[in-house]
Amino acid sequence: MSEITKHASPSGRPSRRMEPGKAALTRSAILDAGSQFLESRPFRELTVGGLMAATKYSRATFYLYFNDLHGLLETLLDEVKGGIVEGAQAWLSNEGDAVSGLQNSLRSLVDVGYEHGTILKAVSDAAPSDARLEHVWETFLSSFDEVVSARISRDQAEGFTPEFDPLLVARALNRMDAGFLIRAFGSHPKAEKESVFSAISHIWLATLNPFDTQTLDGFKSNGSAENS
Amino acid sequence: MSEITKHASPSGRPSRRMEPGKAALTRSAILDAGSQFLESRPFRELTVGGLMAATKYSRATFYLYFNDLHGLLETLLDEVKGGIVEGAQAWLSNEGDAVSGLQNSLRSLVDVGYEHGTILKAVSDAAPSDARLEHVWETFLSSFDEVVSARISRDQAEGFTPEFDPLLVARALNRMDAGFLIRAFGSHPKAEKESVFSAISHIWLATLNPFDTQTLDGFKSNGSAENS
DNA sequence: CAGTTGTTCTAACAGAATGTCAGAAATCAC
DNA sequence: GTGATTTCTGACATTCTGTTAGAACAACTG
């Protein structure tokens, strides 16, 4: 979806054998080296030369598998995408009550952020310097806007959620998630998961379900960072 | 504060005459050209050569006044800083009631965002590619975290605001503002001011002043985008 | 106005990274 | 082994960056 695998079938017909495939291995090796690099250093310090020095291949080889460093990030992002959408599903469809469904979704969002924070930060860092990656990233973020907005509309119709422009509020909340999670988990040392969840969760609930008992409970007593 | 003005006094003593100053003019001309460029095109397309072609000076001249393109952005950001801090002052000190004070602050924040959106986007775009600018930008954002957090703590002590970790919630809300405003006003066509204010305002109020009458009013009737 | 001084600017250079391409090397099929 | 295919590399052209030595200019001084 992201990068054109140039070597899949150089001539028209499909290559006879498609086993582990040496090419696939090389590609993986490059992706791994990239992932690992970004675990400890920012995207701006990543160069094709430096990256390939960490593999047993030459610099030119990189261009056989990716158009450029942004292309590599695009691939890395694809690998993360799955997890996020999946975890949020519960709330987005109407399963369970709104509040705890939302909490579950946010919980899993925080989990993914914690897990893949450095990749997300790298993509968000790299996006502004490349039109194509910027578009991919923006589309990725926007996709949440639409689906969250839809859920808000439903809750508004039911009277669970106050009236306001669902799309804009969804967009604001999603930008908050992105910015806050990347800030919290984008580089080491990572923030504490539970406090991050607690803060985000408060804001979403206060905004979307201010009348709900659970939300109000959270307001009266202490719903923030547990005595860690 | 941001860039070293190398030519101010090349020898130790201050230069005798400091009138319009030809150097200052040149510097301004470059800043203007930069501003104007960013009004219509993203930072990634800005090069020193291209920038200086829009002035009557040579490429090398650029380096007499700025270290690099990031340095130029740092200067541009400085010019915007003032306006933001100023507008928020009302709420941050305790003048008037919390809710309308907050609304005023947010209103003026949205104004500044609308006014200087393209610069803010450029800085936020450029920051990840330069350690120094990244630090400046991060410090800029964090400065709001602290001061907002302080105000929240006060309101919590008074019982106006629910209990939660003030710093983390402040950070999340501020990241939301930054991301959302840049998204809304960072490039043309700009979003509608009033709707943006309305959305942001809703979230802040719901989070910080859920018990307040004005907030609750906003919840019952329609507080979002006025029939423009 | 000719000399002196300091300021402002530029042409030319050296370096770092990118992306391409012709062909070398490895691998496979028979 | 030999030929075909896949995988890889050295070498090149390009683009942008940041520096430096000195040219052009302006202003004041005697």
Side-chain angles (χ1 to χ4, degrees):
Chain A
M1 179 167 283
S2 55
E3 286 285 317
I4 303 143
T5 306
K6 293 169 183 169
H7 278 271
S9 68
S11 50
R13 62 209 148 69
S15 53
R16 279 163 290 182
R17 229 177 12 79
M18 242 329 196
E19 295 174 45
K22 203 171 171 203
L25 283 184
T26 311
R27 196 181 141 99
S28 280
I30 299 174
L31 283 168
D32 284 352
S35 259
Q36 201 177 338
F37 181 98
L38 295 171
E39 203 57 47
S40 59
R41 308 179 46 180
F43 174 75
R44 66 168 161 277
E45 291 176 14
L46 184 61
T47 72
V48 177
L51 173 65
M52 297 308 287
T55 74
K56 49 176 185 160
Y57 305 102
S58 81
R59 200 175 68 81
T61 299
F62 174 85
Y63 294 98
L64 294 177
Y65 297 96
F66 304 95
N67 291 324
D68 52 26
L69 288 174
H70 298 95
L72 179 133
L73 283 205
E74 203 178 324
T75 304
L76 252 22
L77 177 61
D78 275 346
E79 292 178 1
V80 176
K81 272 183 185 169
I84 301 188
V85 184
E86 176 191 323
Q89 224 49 26
W91 177 63
L92 294 175
S93 41
N94 267 310
E95 303 170 21
D97 68 305
V99 170
S100 65
L102 175 52
Q103 275 180 318
N104 288 337
S105 288
L106 290 175
R107 174 83 64 188
S108 94
L109 184 68
V110 170
D111 284 346
V112 175
Y114 189 85
E115 192 72 19
H116 303 290
T118 59
I119 299 290
L120 293 174
K121 173 168 168 53
V123 173
S124 135
D125 280 358
S129 61
D130 181 78
R132 182 178 156 91
L133 186 59
E134 181 174 59
H135 180 252
V136 168
W137 179 239
E138 179 56 37
T139 303
F140 175 61
L141 293 181
S142 299
S143 72
F144 294 104
D145 299 347
E146 282 159 34
V147 59
V148 165
S149 171
R151 173 57 144 115
I152 291 178
S153 291
R154 256 179 284 149
D155 284 356
Q156 285 177 328
E158 308 244 11
F160 297 151
T161 293
E163 288 295 330
F164 48 66
D165 184 320
L167 181 57
L168 287 187
V169 167
R171 189 173 287 159
L173 289 172
N174 283 330
R175 299 287 153 161
M176 171 181 81
D177 287 359
F180 189 49
L181 289 177
I182 287 176
R183 161 68 211 257
F185 303 135
S187 46
H188 302 290
K190 297 187 177 178
E192 199 206 340
K193 238 190 205 180
E194 196 54 31
S195 325
V196 167
F197 167 73
S198 184
I200 271 192
S201 178
H202 250 292
I203 296 170
W204 278 79
L205 287 176
T207 303
L208 300 187
N209 301 94
F211 312 129
D212 189 279
T213 330
Q214 294 180 60
T215 306
L216 293 172
D217 283 358
F219 281 175
K220 275 168 205 152
S221 68
N222 177 334
S224 75
E226 254 66 51
N227 48 354
S228 76
Chain B
M1 179 165 286
S2 57
E3 286 285 316
I4 302 144
T5 307
K6 292 168 184 170
H7 277 271
S9 67
S11 49
R13 63 208 147 68
S15 55
R16 279 164 289 182
R17 230 178 14 78
M18 239 334 196
E19 294 174 45
K22 204 170 170 203
L25 283 184
T26 310
R27 197 182 140 98
S28 280
I30 299 175
L31 283 168
D32 284 353
S35 259
Q36 201 178 338
F37 181 97
L38 294 172
E39 202 59 45
S40 59
R41 305 175 56 177
F43 174 75
R44 66 169 162 278
E45 290 177 13
L46 183 61
T47 73
V48 176
L51 173 65
M52 297 308 286
T55 74
K56 49 177 185 161
Y57 305 102
S58 82
R59 199 175 68 83
T61 298
F62 174 85
Y63 293 98
L64 295 177
Y65 297 96
F66 304 96
N67 292 325
D68 52 25
L69 288 174
H70 298 95
L72 179 133
L73 282 205
E74 204 178 323
T75 304
L76 252 23
L77 177 60
D78 275 347
E79 292 178 0
V80 176
K81 272 184 185 170
I84 301 188
V85 185
E86 175 192 323
Q89 224 48 25
W91 176 65
L92 294 175
S93 43
N94 265 311
E95 304 170 20
D97 68 306
V99 170
S100 65
L102 176 53
Q103 275 179 317
N104 288 337
S105 289
L106 290 175
R107 174 82 65 187
S108 93
L109 183 69
V110 170
D111 284 346
V112 174
Y114 188 86
E115 192 72 17
H116 304 290
T118 58
I119 299 289
L120 293 174
K121 172 166 169 55
V123 173
S124 135
D125 280 357
S129 61
D130 180 77
R132 183 178 156 90
L133 185 60
E134 181 175 57
H135 179 252
V136 169
W137 179 238
E138 179 55 36
T139 303
F140 176 62
L141 293 181
S142 299
S143 71
F144 293 105
D145 299 347
E146 283 160 34
V147 59
V148 166
S149 171
R151 173 56 144 116
I152 291 179
S153 291
R154 256 180 284 149
D155 284 356
Q156 285 177 327
E158 309 243 13
F160 297 150
T161 294
E163 289 294 329
F164 48 67
D165 185 320
L167 182 58
L168 287 187
V169 168
R171 190 173 286 159
L173 289 172
N174 283 331
R175 299 288 154 161
M176 171 181 82
D177 287 358
F180 189 49
L181 288 178
I182 287 175
R183 162 68 211 257
F185 302 135
S187 47
H188 302 288
K190 299 188 175 177
E192 199 204 341
K193 240 190 203 181
E194 196 54 32
S195 326
V196 167
F197 167 73
S198 184
I200 271 193
S201 178
H202 249 291
I203 296 171
W204 279 78
L205 287 176
T207 304
L208 301 186
N209 300 95
F211 312 131
D212 190 279
T213 331
Q214 292 180 59
T215 306
L216 292 172
D217 282 359
F219 281 176
K220 274 168 205 152
S221 68
N222 177 334
S224 72
E226 253 67 50
N227 45 354
S228 72

